[in-house]
Amino acid sequence: MASTEPTIDAKRGIAHQLFVDHPRSLGMSWAQHGIGALWIGTRLIGAGLACIVHAIVPGWFTQTAGKTVTGMYEHMVRRKAGAANAENWPDYEI
């Protein structure tokens, strides 16, 4: 099985590859990418907690997870469409 991990480019160093390459490939700074990732992660945690509560009390949070995922998908599609280099964006975004 081939590894999907990127190889380390000795000229730029591992820190550059870990912190700069991916955000730049999406046309973002490290900070912009970090803020987006925190927003997505926070929303996913909130939706997950709502699902756990919903499992215990089925009448609560009946649409929270679905609406959260739908809203996040729409947000990501708009961001990709508005990006200067949309062709470089993956079909998913994290």
Side-chain angles (χ1 to χ4, degrees), residues 21-28 33 83-85 88-90 93-94:
D21 284 354
H22 174 63
R24 278 200 186 148
S25 74
L26 300 175
M28 298 179 189
H33 183 272
N85 59 345
N88 291 339
W89 283 47
E93 172 194 357
I94 296 179

Side-chain angles (χ1 to χ4, degrees), residues 12-55:
R12 290 183 298 165
I14 192 166
H16 191 275
Q17 288 186 317
L18 290 175
F19 295 101
V20 178
D21 284 354
H22 174 63
R24 278 200 186 148
S25 74
L26 300 175
M28 298 179 189
S29 69
W30 175 84
Q32 290 169 319
H33 183 272
I35 289 167
L38 286 171
W39 182 84
I40 289 169
T42 302
R43 298 289 310 257
L44 288 172
I45 290 169
L49 291 172
C51 286
I52 291 169
V53 171
H54 176 72

Side-chain angles (χ1 to χ4, degrees), residues 43-79:
R43 298 289 310 257
L44 288 172
I45 290 169
L49 291 172
C51 286
I52 291 169
V53 171
H54 176 72
I56 298 166
V57 184
W60 290 353
F61 304 111
T62 60
Q63 298 179 9
T64 303
K67 285 184 176 183
T68 300
V69 171
T70 299
M72 289 176 60
Y73 172 77
E74 291 169 354
H75 170 78
M76 288 186 260
V77 168
R78 285 191 307 272
R79 283 183 59 195

